Amino acid sequence: MTELPRVYILHENPDWLPPFTAAFAAEGVPAEEVLLTRGSIDLDAEPAPGVYWSRMSASAHSRGNVHSKDYTRAYLRWLEDSGRRVVNGGDTINFEVSKVQQHRALRAAGFDVPKTVAVFGRDDLRERSREFATPFITKHNQGGKGLGVRRLDSFEEFDAYLASPLFEEPADGITLLQEYLPAERPFITRVEFVGGRYVYAVRVDISAGSFELCPADACVIDPGNDAAAVEPFALRKGFDSDPLIARYEAFLADHGIEIAGIEFIETADGRRVTYDVNTNTNYNPAVEASAPLPAARAIARFLGGLLTASVPA
């Protein structure tokens, strides 16, 4: 019996799946998980018919899934060489696991990006940090969940951090040093795209002292005592005609990224600085509940449309 085509969700973290499972069910789109923490593929066989959506996360190693990105790369190569329709395929993984690649691509596309130095290992961190004014930021090249994100207010504080057991070793050995960007107003904006098209923008509150937030996990430098006083995520109203949207859509199209969230900050000195491209995007429940079209439902509709188009008449 021939297996009926469906959407296959490639991932490594079941905790993030329920909102998407519910959305696929609501839209009547058949979907199945492919958990890439173990398993195998027959390289001489053809993959099952359907549409494949990769949700490989840069933070997989923080959940003990150290090799999941490599399992996903192998799986996607098998799929793409077999002619299957893949959303956020093999090239997209390189964006997900490398802020260096994100930075270089954004800069090449003409976006304002933070001054950043990528340091291999620990030996040069102290010397290269002196190229920045204080405060400055550290973060991991292979990030997600705010891994390695830390604000340093003095070189003495940074030197002590480097010498201490608190120093967080990055998964790929690459630590980023980055200029600290004071916000004009205490929020950053995360812009969500599905099928390469704008869905909505999220206003992410940073008044509690955080620098980088993601909808599923707060990427917090220092939450402070009043972190729970303000709802961190809300729809950003009045953004729907912002010229950044078209520029971001063109950027995603140029790089073959179909589902993503892009973050930028409006700084106290009048810059609009883009600093993150998240291709394993998650969504905040409160925002989803208030959005005209929830992004999870938009994904289910988009992938369902691709599935219908892939089935021979």
Side-chain angles (χ1 to χ4, degrees):
M1 185 174 67
T2 303
E3 190 170 5
L4 293 176
R6 64 197 63 201
V7 173
Y8 292 92
I9 308 170
L10 280 56
H11 73 104
E12 54 78 34
N13 184 13
D15 291 344
W16 286 341
L17 260 289
F20 300 105
T21 302
F24 282 110
E27 293 292 331
V29 178
E32 182 176 322
E33 298 179 45
V34 178
L35 185 62
L36 289 174
T37 57
R38 55 175 296 175
S40 60
I41 49 177
D42 182 349
L43 297 180
D44 295 321
E46 288 294 310
V51 172
Y52 291 78
W53 172 33
S54 174
R55 282 185 47 79
M56 204 293 296
S57 172
S59 63
H61 62 284
S62 72
R63 291 177 289 278
N65 302 323
V66 177
H67 299 299
S68 284
K69 69 178 186 295
D70 299 303
Y71 298 161
T72 306
R73 283 185 171 121
Y75 205 103
L76 292 175
R77 173 56 62 191
W78 176 56
L79 293 174
E80 291 171 339
D81 285 351
S82 300
R84 292 297 179 263
R85 179 63 165 93
V86 178
V87 172
N88 285 10
D91 290 341
T92 300
I93 285 184
N94 295 327
F95 269 86
E96 177 64 18
V97 301
S98 176
K99 293 189 182 300
V100 167
Q101 178 152 333
Q102 294 174 27
H103 183 280
R104 294 299 300 170
L106 288 164
R107 188 175 186 274
F111 293 99
D112 191 354
V113 293
K115 170 181 167 58
T116 305
V117 171
V119 181
F120 309 146
R122 281 203 204 192
D123 292 348
D124 293 337
L125 278 169
R126 185 182 183 280
E127 179 182 353
R128 296 308 299 265
S129 71
R130 271 51 177 181
E131 299 174 22
F132 291 82
T134 55
F136 61 93
I137 297 292
T138 65
K139 59 176 63 172
H140 289 179
N141 178 55
Q142 184 178 320
K145 297 202 309 179
L147 293 172
V149 179
R150 194 178 186 98
R151 168 178 162 166
L152 287 310
D153 290 318
S154 70
F155 296 126
E156 292 76 17
E157 180 187 359
F158 183 54
D159 294 347
Y161 170 57
L162 281 179
S164 79
L166 296 176
F167 179 76
E168 297 180 62
E169 292 284 356
D172 58 5
I174 303 174
T175 298
L176 304 184
L177 302 174
Q178 196 167 84
E179 67 174 314
Y180 174 68
L181 299 169
E184 179 184 21
R185 292 175 289 168
F187 67 88
I188 62 94
T189 301
R190 181 183 173 99
V191 192
E192 300 292 357
F193 299 88
V194 174
R197 307 299 294 177
Y198 171 74
V199 179
Y200 57 62
V202 182
R203 185 185 190 278
V204 186
D205 183 85
I206 56 173
S207 61
S210 59
F211 174 73
E212 189 173 54
L213 295 171
C214 59
D217 299 279
C219 306
V220 178
I221 293 172
D222 179 5
N225 296 325
D226 299 322
V230 178
E231 174 59 45
F233 303 103
L235 281 176
R236 180 167 177 180
K237 298 177 181 179
F239 190 79
D240 293 357
S241 60
D242 193 284
L244 266 180
I245 293 172
R247 293 186 64 201
Y248 284 156
E249 288 179 343
F251 174 82
L252 294 174
D254 285 346
H255 293 280
I257 301 170
E258 295 180 273
I259 299 175
I262 301 179
E263 295 180 11
F264 73 92
I265 187 170
E266 292 160 296
T267 68
D269 59 357
R271 298 166 64 190
R272 301 183 100 192
V273 181
T274 304
Y275 63 88
D276 188 58
V277 180
N278 191 320
T279 67
N280 178 46
T281 193
N282 289 288
Y283 305 108
N284 178 259
V287 172
E288 286 281 272
S290 62
L293 174 61
R297 292 287 291 266
I299 287 175
R301 292 181 188 180
F302 169 61
L303 295 177
L306 294 181
L307 184 63
T308 299
S310 73
V311 178

